[in-house]
Amino acid sequence: MTVPATYSPHAPSADDQPAGAAAPFVERHLGPDDDAVARMLATIGQPTLDALVDAAVPEGIRLQEALQLPEPLDEPSVTAALRELAERNQVTTSMIGLGYHGTVTPPVIRRNVLESPSWYTAYTPYQPEISQGRLEALLNFQTAVADLTGLPIANASLLDEATAVAEAVALMHRAVRGKSDRVVVDPDILPQTLAVLRTRCAPLGLQIVVPDSLDDGLPDGDLFGLVLQLPGASGAVRDHAALIAAAHDRGAQVTVAADLLSLTLLTPPGELGADVAVGSTQRFGVPLWYGGPHAAYIAVRDGLERSVPGRLVGVSVDADGRPAYRLALQTREQHIRRERATSNICTAQVLLAVAAGMYAVWHGPDGLRAIAERVHSHAVGLARTLRAIGVTVVHDAFFDTVLVRAPGRAAEVVAAAAEAGIDLGQVDADHVRIACDETTEVHHLEVVVRAVAGASDGAADDNVEVARVDHAETVIPEASRRRSGFLTHPVFHEHRSETQMLRYLRRLSDADFALDRGMIPLGSCTMKLNATTQMEPIGWDGFAGIHPYAPAARVDGYLDLIGQLESWLAEVTGYAAVSVQPNAGSQGEFAGLLAIAAYHRSRGEDQRNVCLIPSSAHGTNAASAAMAGMRVVVVTADDNGAVDLDDLRAKLDDHGDAIAAIMVTYPSTHGVYEARITEVCRLVHDAGG
């Protein structure tokens, strides 16, 4: 959908503006007026902006034709267009589960974190002296994760649960030093996690084994790692202690992908003996947003802290002996050993990690447990009611998700619930998954019971009452119940009133320097000030309240929005097609290298596995290449970051038909637009890369 520009009383129409005048949005958003631009140009000795471009950007790499894009809209028109897209998404009550759940974002967090430019415009906390507020907020996140998982070390977030599991598998493989290439994966793992894991393991030569069941123990054969899901994708709660011990007896490491809210009631992975725990923090107050972004977490046992991907916030002291926060053991551009890089995680999801951590601060241990108990009691009451009318509930032990058997009628159950505005998860022709969450109410359960009964041999009239369950009641087995405390630090007990929380958030933001205060001219791809018009829609239900597995017919607005963005980016970049699936620039690098590797395989050139990387490139480049199964060869760059063509030719000669690709940062990390980029590409293409 392309919405034409319309007249707005808040801004002059295009007809009222002189030729070449900037759109009102540009003037308002960028700030400098003609006088300010003239003063800046005079300072650097350039008469006009065109002259500046002539001096800075070589003629040979400039775009010569106008981009074929729609005419720009003023801000009211953009808001109207986005409203129309949001309204085309049908917001329903989602009980689909699979790692995504309805949640309530506390208004004090929504307004003062997610919607506050003092948080959403803050630069990646490379410089601790101007990032103390965010570092404290991230330390809260790490503390909450470590406490809930029962493991001593947690990092400052990863990108999403699926890639977090992949990072954990790579970590486990490094920990056992290549004694095996087989990892055993829980058959009850989330499907999106298994799909990502298959993609990530293939380039590394790691074999995934998914047995039909783990009820009788681990499969035969060697293994370096075991991945378990807690609770399972089906909702089942299983006691994994024996499996974890068996894996350790065979020299393997163990990762548990755990639902963080469930760990207020379930024995945490660390107490089960797991080496690593990963998962999503989405249900800690972060909207669904059709699948993301959401902060993932990773926590590890002692001894694995130096293998943790991403960043960890540590507590140190400043020059005056006062407590001070800093990034410790960080994996970022300047610290990655290029030829030996293992993970391309860099910034991760700071804003969403802050929001999730503040959710834990706001509710505290008692509040989180109360939410979990309410969710669990709804699931128990639903299961009890369904059994009372003759419906088979598959699992006896579960936390929030009930799996029911409806032989040959699962589609009917899902359709009946959807007709009443509730989306359930159809597992197969015979089974339906029903997930409760923080937003679930009794009337939702009543609709579900009628839908299941109407398509099964059970019987329920329109006045059905769901069994009320006391929060103290549970179907979690004794051995799987949590006995240990969590969130004992004072920060999780001090901010119960909105006034206290508001002042705490303000104090932290005052200890930071973000774009609402001034500019940090570091030139990073993470530096940006999103316009308020762009940020407002993230809070609309039509965008925020959509489950990623919602039926396609319900998300017409999202699909149109994504299609628009893909086509516009293809036009801007000059490519035939664009994918917006990668959830970070580093993941885009990785996806591109996988595409290059697949291209070479399609031509029968599997031997092409060398990725050339200039010494001036971003540090994540080398890690992405290593993750894609390529060998990294560094090409010399000069003091401006430009590729040394003589060294490039020498490396191409040395590696011949093993050349797969070159990754060039453009402009370079020094900010230089390299005029020789065309020559660099030609040389690599001539070598078959």
Side-chain angles (χ1 to χ4, degrees):
M1 180 202 72
T2 300
V3 178
T6 57
Y7 173 79
S8 167
H10 304 290
S13 69
D15 293 337
D16 294 331
Q17 298 183 65
F25 169 78
V26 175
E27 293 175 353
R28 293 286 192 184
H29 189 56
L30 297 186
D33 57 19
D34 290 343
D35 289 341
V37 171
R39 289 198 303 274
M40 288 187 282
L41 288 170
T43 300
I44 62 176
Q46 295 293 340
T48 65
L49 287 174
D50 286 341
L52 174 61
V53 172
D54 288 340
V57 184
E59 177 72 25
I61 62 172
R62 288 191 224 161
L63 185 66
Q64 302 301 322
E65 300 87 20
L67 293 172
Q68 300 302 303
L69 294 172
E71 289 298 314
L73 305 182
D74 59 34
E75 289 182 271
S77 300
V78 167
T79 298
L82 288 169
R83 282 255 184 232
E84 193 270 339
L85 287 170
E87 289 169 359
R88 285 163 53 193
N89 294 325
Q90 300 176 41
V91 181
T92 62
T93 298
S94 175
M95 301 182 75
I96 296 172
L98 290 185
Y100 299 94
H101 303 274
T103 185
V104 177
T105 307
V108 67
I109 295 175
R110 184 184 68 241
R111 184 173 180 84
N112 298 289
V113 176
L114 291 177
E115 297 176 356
S116 171
S118 63
W119 291 98
Y120 71 68
T121 71
Y123 184 67
T124 301
Y126 287 163
Q127 298 166 293
E129 53 278 336
I130 61 172
S131 307
Q132 288 295 291
R134 258 169 310 134
L135 290 173
E136 181 173 328
L138 289 172
L139 187 65
N140 292 342
F141 174 88
Q142 292 179 184
T143 303
V145 168
D147 280 7
L148 287 167
T149 60
L151 290 162
I153 305 293
N155 87 344
S157 79
L158 292 178
L159 293 169
D160 61 89
E161 180 166 343
T163 55
V165 172
E167 292 285 345
V169 167
L171 185 157
M172 292 191 297
H173 190 243
R174 295 193 299 273
V176 301
R177 303 184 184 278
K179 295 178 181 177
S180 170
D181 290 328
R182 297 172 78 239
V183 59
V184 175
V185 176
D186 193 336
D188 206 10
I189 197 169
L190 296 173
Q192 66 269 21
T193 298
L194 182 58
V196 169
L197 199 53
R198 292 191 190 282
T199 298
R200 291 280 292 265
C201 285
L204 302 177
L206 303 182
Q207 181 185 352
I208 297 172
V209 178
V210 185
D212 292 335
S213 172
L214 289 172
D215 291 344
D216 296 324
L218 296 172
D220 294 334
D222 63 298
L223 70 156
F224 71 83
L226 170 65
V227 177
L228 299 168
Q229 190 84 46
L230 181 71
S234 68
V237 168
R238 298 180 175 91
D239 182 358
H240 292 311
L243 281 171
I244 293 172
H248 285 158
D249 288 344
R250 290 163 64 174
Q253 303 282 293
V254 180
T255 291
V256 175
D259 177 280
L260 213 55
L261 185 65
S262 76
L263 296 184
T264 64
L265 304 181
L266 300 179
T267 304
E271 294 179 17
L272 293 173
D275 303 284
V276 186
V278 294
S280 173
T281 62
Q282 178 268 315
R283 71 190 308 173
F284 273 33
V286 180
L288 289 164
W289 283 327
Y290 199 36
H294 304 129
Y297 72 83
I298 184 169
V300 299
R301 61 167 171 79
D302 284 328
L304 291 178
E305 56 270 17
R306 292 189 176 274
S307 296
V308 174
R311 297 195 169 98
L312 291 85
V313 177
V315 182
S316 186
V317 293
D318 65 13
D320 298 319
R322 297 172 301 188
Y325 305 108
R326 63 186 180 87
L327 290 174
L329 304 176
Q330 54 187 321
T331 301
R332 54 178 274 214
E333 287 87 331
Q334 293 91 324
H335 299 81
I336 295 174
R337 299 166 298 174
R338 294 179 185 278
E339 294 88 339
R340 301 178 62 188
T342 55
S343 171
N344 65 357
I345 293 295
C346 188
T347 305
Q349 299 285 13
V350 170
L351 178 64
L352 291 315
V354 168
M358 289 305 172
Y359 182 91
V361 169
W362 176 243
H363 288 294
D366 294 338
L368 290 183
R369 181 181 286 274
I371 293 169
E373 288 175 342
R374 181 174 183 271
V375 170
H376 182 55
S377 66
H378 279 323
V380 173
L382 174 63
R384 186 173 297 172
T385 304
L386 290 173
R387 284 184 171 125
I389 62 172
V391 175
T392 300
V393 174
V394 176
H395 301 301
D396 293 325
F398 49 83
F399 166 59
D400 63 358
T401 300
V402 177
L403 184 67
V404 302
R405 182 174 292 118
R409 299 174 179 175
E412 295 177 43
V413 172
V414 171
E419 185 69 23
I422 295 179
D423 287 330
L424 307 179
Q426 182 177 344
V427 178
D428 52 34
D430 304 319
H431 295 89
V432 177
R433 182 182 54 255
I434 308 162
C436 300
D437 58 45
E438 186 182 5
T439 67
T440 302
E441 302 288 350
V442 171
H443 66 87
H444 298 140
L445 305 179
E446 292 169 349
V447 170
V448 170
V449 170
R450 286 194 290 269
V452 175
S456 70
D457 295 330
D461 59 33
D462 290 341
N463 297 317
V464 62
E465 289 190 9
V466 175
R468 302 302 175 98
V469 177
D470 185 273
H471 288 184
E473 292 187 54
T474 181
V475 296
I476 298 171
E478 185 73 24
S480 296
R481 296 179 198 172
R482 181 169 196 139
R483 303 299 180 190
S484 56
F486 55 90
L487 303 189
T488 57
H489 190 279
V491 74
F492 300 108
H493 298 263
E494 295 174 341
H495 308 292
R496 287 296 166 270
S497 76
E498 183 168 327
T499 304
Q500 291 170 321
M501 188 68 174
L502 184 63
R503 290 171 179 167
Y504 180 55
L505 292 171
R506 176 60 183 267
R507 178 172 70 78
L508 293 189
S509 65
D510 283 348
D512 254 29
F513 190 90
L515 288 180
D516 63 331
R517 298 173 185 270
M519 174 58 72
I520 310 171
L522 292 181
S524 168
C525 55
T526 63
M527 283 302 291
K528 56 187 175 296
L529 175 58
N530 290 319
T532 305
T533 298
Q534 296 167 308
M535 294 299 293
E536 281 182 325
I538 71 169
W540 299 347
D541 281 349
F543 290 132
I546 306 296
H547 193 285
Y549 286 106
R554 296 195 189 276
V555 293
D556 185 58
Y558 252 126
L559 297 179
D560 203 345
L561 177 67
I562 294 168
Q564 278 188 33
L565 180 59
E566 289 176 340
S567 66
W568 294 347
L569 289 176
E571 174 66 18
V572 170
T573 60
Y575 284 99
V578 168
S579 168
V580 294
Q581 294 180 77
N583 51 3
S586 57
Q587 306 305 302
E589 297 167 4
F590 174 64
L593 289 170
L594 289 183
I596 288 172
Y599 169 77
H600 289 313
R601 286 197 303 273
S602 73
R603 294 161 53 88
E605 296 185 313
D606 297 50
Q607 83 284 354
R608 292 192 177 275
N609 67 348
V610 169
C611 183
L612 303 174
I613 297 182
S615 58
S616 60
H618 282 300
T620 58
N621 294 171
S624 295
M627 290 164 56
M630 295 185 181
R631 289 191 293 128
V632 174
V633 173
V634 177
V635 178
T636 302
D638 63 24
D639 291 341
N640 289 323
V643 175
D644 182 322
L645 293 183
D646 289 336
D647 190 55
L648 174 61
R649 292 188 183 97
K651 296 293 170 53
L652 292 172
D653 288 341
D654 287 345
H655 297 282
D657 66 358
I659 297 294
I662 187 170
M663 299 181 72
V664 182
T665 302
Y666 181 71
S668 75
T669 51
H670 298 69
V672 175
Y673 288 93
E674 186 177 350
R676 290 171 291 180
I677 186 70
T678 303
E679 179 67 5
V680 169
C681 294
R682 185 189 65 78
L683 289 171
V684 175
H685 283 154
D686 287 349

